[in-house]
Amino acid sequence: MSGFASLRLAVSAALIGIAFVSPNAALVGPAVAAQDVRLGPSGLPLPRFVSLKSGKVNSRIGPGVNYPVDWLYLKPGLPMEIIQEYDNWRRVRDSEGAEGWINQSLLSGHRTAMTAPWQRGKPAQLNLLAKPEQGARTVAVIDPGVIGSIKQCNGQWCEMSFAGTSGWLNQSQVWGAYPGESIEN
């Protein structure tokens, strides 16, 4: 077989292999397409957001109990971004950029988000709106760094609940939902 024919055969095989390996690629939404998304060993997309189940969670420097604890998280519901998977361990990133490994049993698929953590410590406040549109009636005023439950996001707005008060925030004002991502929690 000539070199050109074997190259053509190799490229064709690679393209067919890609089609069989990633049949769900067409099912990934437009929000996820904006991110560098791939499927992890669990079959779930990476990166993705989750939250902490417990009020006391160790974040370790490696994927196992033999690795030292680097951070201790004390806030249940804290949003975390999973960026890597190894066995039953998840490498996560918090809103401040700190990374570590947490056992999957301590993470929940319930989506939460933090309001504008990049504005913490500044004299900024966010209006929680009655409807997902600019100029809608303000339901509550939220400080940066507050954690709430995501009810849904439509790619531009997120309906969230903060201590029993629900309303809408622009999706760009929350850390816990990707730009353009649609969520039904």
Side-chain angles (χ1 to χ4, degrees):
M1 188 180 302
S2 74
F4 179 71
S6 62
L7 177 62
R8 244 181 35 201
L9 185 60
V11 169
S12 297
L15 290 174
I16 291 171
I18 289 170
F20 286 113
V21 171
S22 58
N24 294 331
L27 301 177
V28 176
V32 182
Q35 300 291 321
D36 179 24
V37 176
R38 63 195 186 286
L39 294 182
S42 67
L44 298 172
L46 289 175
R48 69 181 180 275
F49 281 104
V50 295
S51 61
L52 297 181
K53 275 187 189 176
S54 174
K56 188 174 181 184
V57 175
N58 290 328
S59 174
R60 298 178 178 275
I61 65 168
V65 293
N66 294 330
Y67 289 93
V69 173
D70 193 27
W71 289 96
L72 175 61
Y73 292 102
L74 300 173
K75 182 76 175 159
L78 185 69
M80 302 295 269
E81 182 180 32
I82 295 178
I83 56 175
Q84 189 177 353
E85 298 178 343
Y86 177 78
D87 196 26
N88 61 343
W89 291 86
R90 304 297 179 254
R91 186 171 183 187
V92 298
R93 179 183 303 130
D94 66 20
S95 65
E96 295 178 5
E99 295 181 8
W101 291 87
I102 295 177
N103 190 287
Q104 72 176 2
S105 66
L106 300 171
L107 300 171
S108 168
H110 178 74
R111 297 290 293 269
T112 62
M114 183 179 294
T115 58
W118 51 89
Q119 294 288 330
R120 270 188 291 200
K122 298 179 182 174
Q125 293 186 316
L126 306 167
N127 292 330
L128 189 65
L129 305 175
K131 292 191 258 184
E133 56 190 47
Q134 288 291 45
R137 179 178 59 85
T138 299
V139 175
V141 177
I142 309 290
D143 289 326
V146 176
I147 298 170
S149 289
I150 295 176
K151 291 183 170 186
Q152 64 177 318
C153 293
N154 63 17
Q156 186 177 3
W157 295 90
C158 288
E159 183 182 15
M160 297 186 62
S161 177
F162 298 92
T165 301
S166 293
W168 294 85
L169 284 173
N170 191 296
Q171 203 155 328
S172 65
Q173 296 176 320
V174 299
W175 190 86
Y178 295 111
E181 181 183 18
S182 293
I183 301 169
E184 283 292 328
N185 212 358

